[in-house]
């Protein structure tokens, strides 16, 4: 039954600071909230005491943390400041375990196509970063969920199959896929073993006057009943 799906909200979609957002989320009746690991909630800023207090605060509003989102200025294939990015994500994975979500969502940047040269520096950087992070994820019992979009679900599934780790998974973003010309329903089936979290983001396909774009939920071209049926089929 579809009731098995737990609905959460990204706090940033409310446009409110953390504390004022919690009663609103509670009133909306959602089961959880996705927070961004930035500012006061950056792993380097939030002490163990702070993490316990945050968990307690969420619980007091009948909320759980669904995932930690980690926005990056650059993708994981870019060499500049790579060590700092890896360190930030490593700390976020540990914090996601502390907070009970055990999922960190990240845009890794473009994933090299199958025929990319294995000596391409971007490929090597991305591969090394994800190998390091997936090992850490396995060690702490969390998972790094790569946001879908730039590649087809099939291409991402093939890429993920190259890693021997349970700590590397996918965050399905159907709107992102549609904007980049990929089939979101086919992506669900291709990534059936890997999807741990879903963003209900809608998009409208390109028209004569404008390109493909993100739109409010229910105002785009995603057929949500078809998408939910696909998620049910893979037993998400």
């Amino acid at each position: 039954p579809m009731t098995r799906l737990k609905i959460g909200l990204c706090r940033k979609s409310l446009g409110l600071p953390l504390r004022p957002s919690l009663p609103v989320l509670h009133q909306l009746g959602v089961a959880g909230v996705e927070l961004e690991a930035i500012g006061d909630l950056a792993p380097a800023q939030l002490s163990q005491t702070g993490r316990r207090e945050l968990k307690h605060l969420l619980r007091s509003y009948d909320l759980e943390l669904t995932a930690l989102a980690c926005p990056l200025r650059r993708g994981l294939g870019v060499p500049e400041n790579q060590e700092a990015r890896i360190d930030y994500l490593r700390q976020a994975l540990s914090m996601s375990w502390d907070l009970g979500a055990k999922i960190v969502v990240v845009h890794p940047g473009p994933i090299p196509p199958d025929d990319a040269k294995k000596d391409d520096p971007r490929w090597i950087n991305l591969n090394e970063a994800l190998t390091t992070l997936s090992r850490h994820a396995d060690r702490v019992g969390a998972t790094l969920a790569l946001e879908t979009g730039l590649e087809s679900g099939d291409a991402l599934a093939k890429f993920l199959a190259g890693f021997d780790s349970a700590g590397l998974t996918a965050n399905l973003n159907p709107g992102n896929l549609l904007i980049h010309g990929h089939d979101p329903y086919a992506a669900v089936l291709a990534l059936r073993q890997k999807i741990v979290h879903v963003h209900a983001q809608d998009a409208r396909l390109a028209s004569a006057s404008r390109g493909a774009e993100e739109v409010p939920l229910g105002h785009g071209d995603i057929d949500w009943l078809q998408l939910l049926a696909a998620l049910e089929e893979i037993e998400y």
Side-chain angles (χ1 to χ4, degrees), residues 28-184:
L28 288 169
V30 295
V33 59
E34 178 189 284
L35 298 174
E36 287 189 308
I38 55 176
D40 291 346
L41 297 183
Q45 300 299 318
L46 201 60
S47 65
Q48 287 299 328
T49 305
R51 293 173 194 196
R52 281 195 295 275
E53 285 172 357
L54 177 57
K55 260 183 103 167
H56 180 73
L57 187 61
L58 290 172
R59 207 177 294 128
S60 69
Y61 286 99
D62 289 327
L63 294 166
E64 59 186 270
L65 184 70
T66 70
L68 277 178
C70 288
L72 301 178
R73 286 202 180 89
R74 292 195 171 110
L76 290 171
V78 179
E80 286 88 353
N81 294 328
Q82 180 72 309
E83 206 39 63
R85 272 194 299 277
I86 291 173
D87 198 44
Y88 165 60
L89 289 172
R90 199 189 277 124
Q91 290 181 47
L93 283 161
S94 297
M95 185 165 94
S96 82
W97 193 89
D98 291 342
L99 294 173
K102 304 177 188 169
I103 296 171
V104 167
V105 175
V106 68
H107 282 276
I111 283 166
D114 272 355
D115 55 1
K117 289 190 173 65
K118 296 289 191 255
D119 56 2
D120 179 326
R122 285 170 311 166
W123 196 94
I124 293 166
N125 281 328
L126 180 65
N127 221 34
E128 285 178 353
L130 290 178
T131 299
T132 300
L133 290 166
S134 63
R135 283 181 185 150
H136 183 74
D138 285 338
R139 200 157 49 242
V140 300
T143 180
L144 189 70
L146 308 187
E147 181 104 347
T148 63
L150 296 178
E151 306 73 28
S152 69
D154 197 42
L156 181 58
K158 281 184 182 148
F159 178 73
L160 289 173
F163 294 86
D164 181 24
S165 166
L168 213 52
T169 53
N171 178 81
L172 184 82
N173 186 323
N176 244 351
L177 286 159
L178 204 63
I179 285 169
H180 291 99
H182 304 302
D183 182 334

Side-chain angles (χ1 to χ4, degrees), residues 159-224:
F159 178 73
L160 289 173
F163 294 86
D164 181 24
S165 166
L168 213 52
T169 53
N171 178 81
L172 184 82
N173 186 323
N176 244 351
L177 286 159
L178 204 63
I179 285 169
H180 291 99
H182 304 302
D183 182 334
Y185 320 105
V188 174
L189 303 180
L191 290 161
R192 63 168 60 232
Q193 306 295 332
K194 290 292 183 180
I195 297 170
V196 294
H197 197 250
V198 176
H199 279 155
Q201 183 173 312
D202 212 340
R204 191 175 291 136
L205 290 166
S207 65
S209 58
R210 51 178 40 174
E213 59 182 348
E214 182 183 349
V215 293
L217 193 61
H219 291 262
D221 293 315
I222 300 286
D223 180 336
W224 292 99

